């Protein structure tokens, strides 16, 4: 499964200490965690059964976590926490082999560079 995620570039992540620890990520109630990290959760319109979520983190904006409708509470909680970890640069253990996250960043720079090519 692929979960396109957008977060800070790796160089930015390395320079900034995540605002929480792995222990805090998994022990803090989800609503409190979203408040603490200035994050919002919304239902995605993506209906692909292989899509388990996405996150968008842009400087100066709340972290946006998008999850598909119809997931059970456990899956919703677990995926939201994983995507928040990606957004803040918190290093977690690798996911099982059947799951994969893709981090995409610097969309504006990439789009501008592509548009400027002859």
């Amino acid at each position: 499964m692929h979960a396109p995620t957008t977060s800070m570039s790796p160089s930015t992540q390395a320079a900034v200490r995540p605002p929480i620890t792995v222990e805090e990520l998994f022990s803090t109630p989800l609503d409190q965690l979203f408040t603490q990290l200035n994050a919002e959760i919304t239902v995605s319109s993506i209906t692909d059964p292989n899509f388990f979520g996405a996150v968008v983190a842009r400087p100066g904006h709340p972290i946006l976590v998008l999850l598909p409708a119809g997931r059970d509470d456990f899956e919703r909680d677990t995926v939201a926490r994983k995507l928040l970890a990606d957004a803040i640069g918190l290093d977690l253990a690798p996911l099982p082999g059947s799951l994969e996250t893709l981090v995409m960043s610097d969309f504006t720079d990439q789009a501008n560079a592509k548009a400027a090519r002859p």
Side-chain angles (χ1 to χ4, degrees):
M1 291 183 221
H2 298 282
T5 63
T6 304
S7 63
M8 298 179 288
S9 67
S11 62
T12 303
Q13 288 177 351
V16 178
R17 185 176 158 273
I20 61 172
T21 66
V22 172
E23 181 179 315
E24 292 168 324
L25 176 75
F26 289 107
S27 65
T28 304
L30 195 59
D31 290 345
Q32 183 180 336
L33 193 61
F34 270 79
T35 299
Q36 181 180 346
L37 296 175
N38 188 28
E40 300 172 0
I41 192 166
T42 190
V43 175
S44 170
S45 62
I46 297 173
T47 58
D48 182 332
N50 292 323
F51 174 75
F52 71 84
V55 63
V56 179
R58 299 177 301 156
H61 297 276
I63 297 169
L64 180 60
V65 175
L66 302 140
L67 297 175
R71 303 293 189 198
D72 65 46
D73 290 342
F74 177 79
E75 183 177 1
R76 180 181 182 272
D77 184 273
T78 304
V79 171
R81 290 173 193 277
K82 165 59 176 140
L83 294 174
L84 282 173
D86 288 348
I88 64 172
L90 190 60
D91 192 23
L92 298 180
L95 294 172
S98 62
L99 297 174
E100 178 183 341
T101 59
L102 173 64
V103 177
M104 300 184 297
S105 61
D106 302 323
F107 288 113
T108 303
D109 292 340
Q110 291 174 15
N112 289 340
K114 189 174 184 179
R117 289 186 209 144

